[in-house]
Amino acid sequence: MGAVTFACALGRSGLTHTKREGDGATPIGRFELLNVYYRADRGACPVTYLPVSPLSQSDGWCDSPEDALYNRPVDLPFEPSHEKMWRDDRLYDIVVVLDCNMYPAVKGEGSAIFFHVAREGFLPTEGCVAVYPEVMREILKEMAPGDMLEVCAE
């Protein structure tokens, strides 16, 4: 497919070279697309070459910098601070995990930086990259392990 540019929503605090937990900024850089989660009750499995898993109500993501599972998927209930992956809104109807602060996860340098479905009107995210569902499905058709998402300050 080659390089593709698309309109997207970014973090409420803009772009940053120095990501910090909870800052609301989208990190600048190149991030591998690792795997896809989706809500099977809200749509068909996305067509992609990336690994895909359906979400369940017990899926969470640890955002507690002090926990050993920081910036990793967790099963709910989970006592430390976490994000619920099974959301009432549509944002995680399709969500792609980006290799941002993952290997290794450095405490406090950001967690749950995803490529996900955008709110209507491209309202800002908490630091993720978001597109409309139909755009997400088109992009994913060509994505395979090793492919990258690049966030530029242009």
Side-chain angles (χ1 to χ4, degrees):
M1 178 179 222
V4 176
T5 302
F6 49 87
C8 62
L10 299 172
R12 61 179 158 72
S13 300
L15 298 172
T16 186
H17 287 285
T18 55
K19 178 71 183 155
R20 296 290 175 253
E21 187 66 41
D23 65 4
T26 300
I28 294 169
R30 289 173 49 86
F31 308 103
E32 185 176 353
L33 289 86
L34 299 177
N35 60 291
V36 180
Y37 293 106
Y38 77 103
R39 287 278 303 261
D41 63 318
R42 293 191 177 165
C45 180
V47 175
T48 185
Y49 297 102
L50 295 168
V52 180
S53 302
L55 283 170
S56 76
Q57 292 185 32
S58 65
D59 287 325
W61 199 273
C62 178
D63 60 12
S64 174
E66 301 310 314
D67 195 86
L69 293 175
Y70 177 59
N71 202 24
R72 297 286 184 267
V74 294
D75 291 323
L76 304 180
F78 184 73
E79 185 63 28
S81 179
H82 63 276
E83 185 167 351
K84 293 180 182 177
M85 299 296 288
W86 187 274
R87 297 176 58 117
D88 292 333
D89 60 25
R90 72 181 195 163
L91 300 188
Y92 291 176
D93 285 3
I94 303 173
V95 57
V96 182
V97 177
L98 299 177
D99 181 15
C100 181
N101 193 32
M102 296 282 293
Y103 303 107
V106 178
K107 292 180 180 186
E109 291 192 7
S111 65
I113 304 301
F114 300 137
F115 178 37
H116 64 73
V117 173
R119 291 178 176 89
E120 288 298 324
F122 282 132
L123 294 175
T125 70
E126 294 298 312
C128 297
V129 177
V131 297
Y132 287 144
E134 58 277 6
V135 174
M136 174 69 80
R137 287 187 178 278
E138 283 302 311
I139 291 168
L140 286 178
K141 284 180 183 177
E142 302 297 325
M143 297 297 99
D147 285 345
M148 309 290 278
L149 181 142
E150 183 172 10
V151 178
C152 305
E154 293 181 332

